[in-house]
Amino acid sequence: MQQDHTSASQWELETLAIRAGHQRTHEQEHGEPIFPTSSFVYGSAAEAAAKFSGETPGNVYSRFTNPTVRTFEQRLAAMEAGERCVATSSGMAAILATALALLQSGDEIVASRSLFGSTVSLFDKYLGKFGITTRYVELSDLEAWEAAMTPATRLLFAETPSNPLSELVDIAALAEIAHRHNALLAIDNCFLTPALQKPIALGADLVIHSATKYLDGQGRAIGGAVVGRDKELEEVFGVVRTCGPCLSPFNAWIFTKGLETLNLRMRAHCENARLLAEWLEGHPAVARVHYSGLATHPQHALASRQQRGYGAVLGFEVKGEREAAWSVIDATCMLSITGNLGDVKTTITHPATTTHGRLSQTQKDAAGITEGLIRVAVGLEAMEDIRADLARGLDALG
Ligand SMILES: *Cc1c(COP(=O)(O)O)cnc(C)c1O
């Protein structure tokens, strides 16, 4: 292996995305290689013993470390300005590994109410079984976070901006609350990615990713990652190494190549989302648009301060109930009707009956998930075509 040529700390984000983490082998390859191997061999019994004991660093088994996975981890760690990254088999595995590594029975999590559905199930149904309890608070309400803290609180967990209503929390202020109570702050940075938001630089301790979304950006693979300090990440690594939710080399390679175009893609996603949000806001059939890039968004100033861009997931409410929302969705020909997001292909969803369908009416009301709400994760097709596809149903509503 050629010496790591990343002088990571001096490079800009755009450069890190393309150059960080690649250690060229003696083959002098230009692109990042894939190492599809389960295990590694040694030159001698003594070398094997030293590698196994950890006395000499190096690869033993791909559940522990793999060079292709390490390239992805080092590149993402550099981009998120974290000391270390541990890749996982999915975004959910990243959250599970973090919880197993850092929490124990009797500990409490304080989390935002507007979390990814499976994250809520993980916290309530599975962590709950082991005596870890979670309280949910309004994402943007710092006083509610403060009030929910107890001496047992070990972890604060938030997604910002939220899905699908684009609500935000002030990450720096939340980190201050967490640290004052000796707790850690984890931010799920799926929707903005390090191209648009750097939670660690704002004071967060851990960043969680579903690489499945924008890091890949083309809907090809499932994967995840945790980024943070060496201290906590060593524990997360221990869980992944022992319990097994490791990332495959092939998926790691896909994500590494995805990172190379992340900055460009996110910029283009944001531009399309802004144009669509502005157009929707002016459409007579649209009652409300939820997008932090709009000057009318209640937290637009915070979004402008904390983010390098506003992301590409937006919600809008049509005038009328479920029937009206469904008619707009069913009138599309090009947009993909799916719950997924973070893809070059634009996706459209009716949250009340899909992603948030399991919530009770009271929970939906509290979360602002109305029957007229539609979520669009804006892709990279031509804006004229995205608009035309939505106009068909919206114009019919009058
Ligand atoms: C998709 C998603 C996850 C879960 O990631 P998987 O890769 O599907 O396991 C977690 N958080 C957010 C915000 C997501 O959108």
Side-chain angles (χ1 to χ4, degrees), residues 24 35 56 74 230 239 291 294 298 311 315 319:
R24 220 160 263 152
F35 291 87
T56 330
Q74 291 186 346
D230 283 329
V239 170
Y291 183 59
L294 291 172
K319 293 175 181 158

Side-chain angles (χ1 to χ4, degrees), residues 88-95 114-119 157 159-161 163 188-191 208-213 221-224 255 339-341 375:
T88 55
S89 56
S90 68
M92 290 317 302
I95 302 173
S114 50
L115 286 182
F116 186 67
S118 295
T119 307
F157 194 101
E159 278 167 33
T160 179
N163 167 27
D188 183 330
N189 204 23
C190 236
F191 296 122
I208 304 284
H209 272 289
S210 166
T212 318
K213 311 296 165 49
I222 303 268
F255 297 139
N340 199 27
L341 58 88
R375 186 193 77 190

Side-chain angles (χ1 to χ4, degrees), residues 183-248:
L184 298 169
L185 172 62
I187 297 289
D188 183 330
N189 204 23
C190 236
F191 296 122
L192 293 184
T193 81
L196 303 179
Q197 176 168 272
K198 304 272 276 291
I200 290 172
L202 293 166
D205 303 285
L206 297 154
V207 167
I208 304 284
H209 272 289
S210 166
T212 318
K213 311 296 165 49
Y214 291 104
L215 301 191
D216 169 24
Q218 297 175 63
R220 297 170 292 193
I222 303 268
V226 188
V227 187
R229 279 183 297 266
D230 283 329
K231 178 167 174 273
E232 284 86 18
L233 267 288
E234 181 60 23
E235 302 298 319
V236 175
F237 172 65
V239 170
V240 173
R241 176 188 165 127
T242 306
C243 305
C246 52
L247 184 62
S248 81

Side-chain angles (χ1 to χ4, degrees), residues 133-151:
T133 47
T134 306
R135 286 157 212 269
Y136 297 95
V137 297
E138 205 57 57
L139 173 67
S140 55
D141 185 350
L142 290 168
E143 283 171 20
W145 287 92
E146 179 75 54
M149 304 295 292
T150 77

